[in-house]
Amino acid sequence: MLAFFVMYPLAIAASEDLLFINYHIHVTNDLPSDLPPGVPSLHLHCKSKDEDLGEKVMLKHEDYTWDAKINLFRTTLFFCYAWWEGKQQYFEAFKATRDEHRCRIYHNSCLWSVREDGIYFSKDSLTWYNEYPW
């Protein structure tokens, strides 16, 4: 029985070669800004258990991108902390068990847009869902 719990995640991942896909995570600053041009409006800090991507200070319409691969046990997780004008939100930018299929639709990309009322996700760059309201 123990072998089943160890081997099942591996069988799912191997069956679709999910371990070899390079996923692209995009976070775009789509916040309104009355700040002068060139003055950043969004602060973003993203990391995983093993890798700290550091804090980014983003200008309006700036896109922050990094790549990730799913680990053997499908536990890969990148999370971000965003703050803007007194609002703050934690969000999971890439979670293997949630995103391994939905992010394959659009060039293996997870698309995030930080907006005035929350942080939106799209799997196709056409339809957006507010998954993390402020």
Side-chain angles (χ1 to χ4, degrees), residues 10-21 23 100-101 104:
L10 302 177
I12 296 295
S15 70
E16 298 188 33
D17 296 325
L18 295 175
L19 297 176
F20 303 108
I21 295 172
Y23 291 90
E100 62 192 354
H101 296 292
R104 288 184 68 189

Side-chain angles (χ1 to χ4, degrees), residues 44-97:
L44 187 70
H45 188 182
C46 299
K47 60 183 176 177
S48 71
K49 182 180 103 179
D50 302 318
E51 184 178 3
D52 189 336
L53 302 175
E55 182 180 329
K56 305 295 178 200
V57 182
M58 298 176 64
L59 300 171
K60 186 174 184 175
H61 302 300
E62 186 174 351
D63 179 51
Y64 177 50
T65 306
W66 70 95
D67 292 343
K69 290 189 182 209
I70 295 175
N71 66 21
L72 190 60
F73 294 100
R74 298 170 58 230
T75 58
T76 303
L77 172 66
F78 277 89
F79 52 94
C80 298
Y81 180 69
W83 62 100
W84 162 74
E85 291 190 2
K87 297 179 181 181
Q88 49 192 317
Q89 182 62 268
Y90 160 92
F91 68 102
E92 294 175 342
F94 184 81
K95 183 177 181 181
T97 55

